[in-house]
Amino acid sequence: QVQLVESGGGLVQAGGSLRLSCAASGRTFSSTAMAWFRQAPGKEREYVAAISWSGITVYADSLKGRFTISRDNAKNTVYLQMNNLKPGDTAVYYCNAGCSDYGCFQPGDYWGQGTQVTVSS
């Protein structure tokens, strides 16, 4: 059974940082891209960033420079470092894996349960 477990969310003041982690189990994703999406209340799910198996990264234009995605294939884990957080970043952040393309432009079949990030002003 494949599981993606996110962690690292929480409450932070504007300008602060958080590092999200997503640990996968049940199969290895070292040969596929992994990604982060987010969904704010009342809004559609939004693409955040993706990283290919070889380390190619793709970001939503609005988040470039503040967010950094990385992965550790040995640990089957993907990370999202978020700096200079803004209230508009408040959302549930979801890990996605098993993408068929390098940028997860078509999300993969596997989703985590989500982790809440709340940024206060």
Side-chain angles (χ1 to χ4, degrees):
Q1 180 182 359
V2 176
Q3 280 191 315
L4 302 178
V5 179
E6 299 102 332
S7 61
L11 174 64
V12 64
Q13 288 188 332
S17 299
L18 284 174
R19 187 192 194 209
L20 306 183
S21 299
C22 171
S25 61
R27 63 159 279 187
T28 180
F29 292 102
S30 59
S31 61
T32 69
M34 300 180 75
W36 289 94
F37 291 77
R38 69 184 185 183
Q39 188 166 20
K43 295 187 177 181
E44 294 187 352
R45 183 180 64 198
E46 177 185 21
Y47 180 95
V48 174
I51 184 166
S52 73
W53 67 271
S54 62
I56 298 172
T57 56
V58 183
Y59 296 93
D61 286 343
S62 62
L63 300 176
K64 288 180 181 177
R66 295 195 298 121
F67 288 17
T68 303
I69 190 171
S70 61
R71 67 189 295 167
D72 184 335
N73 288 335
K75 295 182 178 180
N76 218 18
T77 298
V78 64
Y79 305 96
L80 185 69
Q81 177 67 43
M82 306 184 294
N83 297 328
N84 191 21
L85 284 161
K86 304 176 181 180
D89 296 318
T90 295
V92 178
Y93 284 71
Y94 296 93
C95 177
N96 178 255
C99 308
S100 59
D101 63 272
Y102 77 94
C104 289
F105 304 115
Q106 288 292 330
D109 292 334
Y110 305 100
W111 293 92
Q113 82 287 352
T115 185
Q116 176 71 47
V117 172
T118 303
V119 184
S120 63
S121 58

